[in-house]
Amino acid sequence: MKKEYRIRKNEEFTRIIRKKNSKASRSFIVYSDEKIEGHARVGISVSKKLGNAVIRNRIKRQLRMMIHETVNLDMAQRDFIVIVREAYLNGTYDENKKDLEKAIKNCNII
């Protein structure tokens, strides 16, 4: 995923989270808001409670790949933030991917 498709600034994270438009699934919480640019952007948040830096970076890499496989960011309707829950560690890649797809569809992103 290119850097132009990512939400990186703290102000942008807080703006989207303050809108309180969220959907939760077993492994994820997805917050969404109207897109500002011509394409949708994604923010990923993984808590330190889930593990050390190596584990958190692996989760973020996997999550970026899941988003790349499921969402066309040029066609998506909204910017969104994905927060990873502790249940992510207990699921397989395919289970987590299906869980993410369900949460994204509930937020009307695709």
Side-chain angles (χ1 to χ4, degrees), residues 35-100:
K35 62 183 177 181
I36 295 175
E37 298 181 10
H39 52 80
R41 296 175 305 148
V42 179
I44 298 173
S45 176
V46 182
S47 172
K48 286 186 177 182
K49 293 178 183 178
L50 294 180
N52 61 17
V54 175
I55 293 171
R56 292 193 312 268
N57 287 332
R58 181 185 51 125
I59 291 170
K60 288 188 274 189
R61 280 196 312 271
Q62 288 177 350
L63 194 53
R64 276 189 227 112
M65 194 63 201
M66 289 179 202
I67 292 169
H68 179 72
E69 292 173 353
T70 57
V71 179
N72 181 357
L73 294 174
D74 290 324
M75 303 300 289
Q77 309 284 332
R78 307 168 72 81
D79 290 342
F80 61 101
I81 295 173
V82 180
I83 298 175
V84 181
R85 289 179 151 179
E86 201 167 335
Y88 181 91
L89 299 173
N90 299 330
T92 64
Y93 180 85
D94 292 326
E95 291 171 349
N96 290 330
K97 184 177 173 184
K98 288 179 186 177
D99 206 25
L100 179 66

Side-chain angles (χ1 to χ4, degrees), residues 7-18 42-45 81-83:
I7 297 172
R8 291 175 288 189
K9 294 183 180 177
N10 187 33
E11 300 88 38
E12 295 172 337
F13 271 88
T14 55
R15 177 186 59 83
I16 293 174
I17 291 174
R18 279 188 188 154
V42 179
I44 298 173
S45 176
I81 295 173
V82 180
I83 298 175

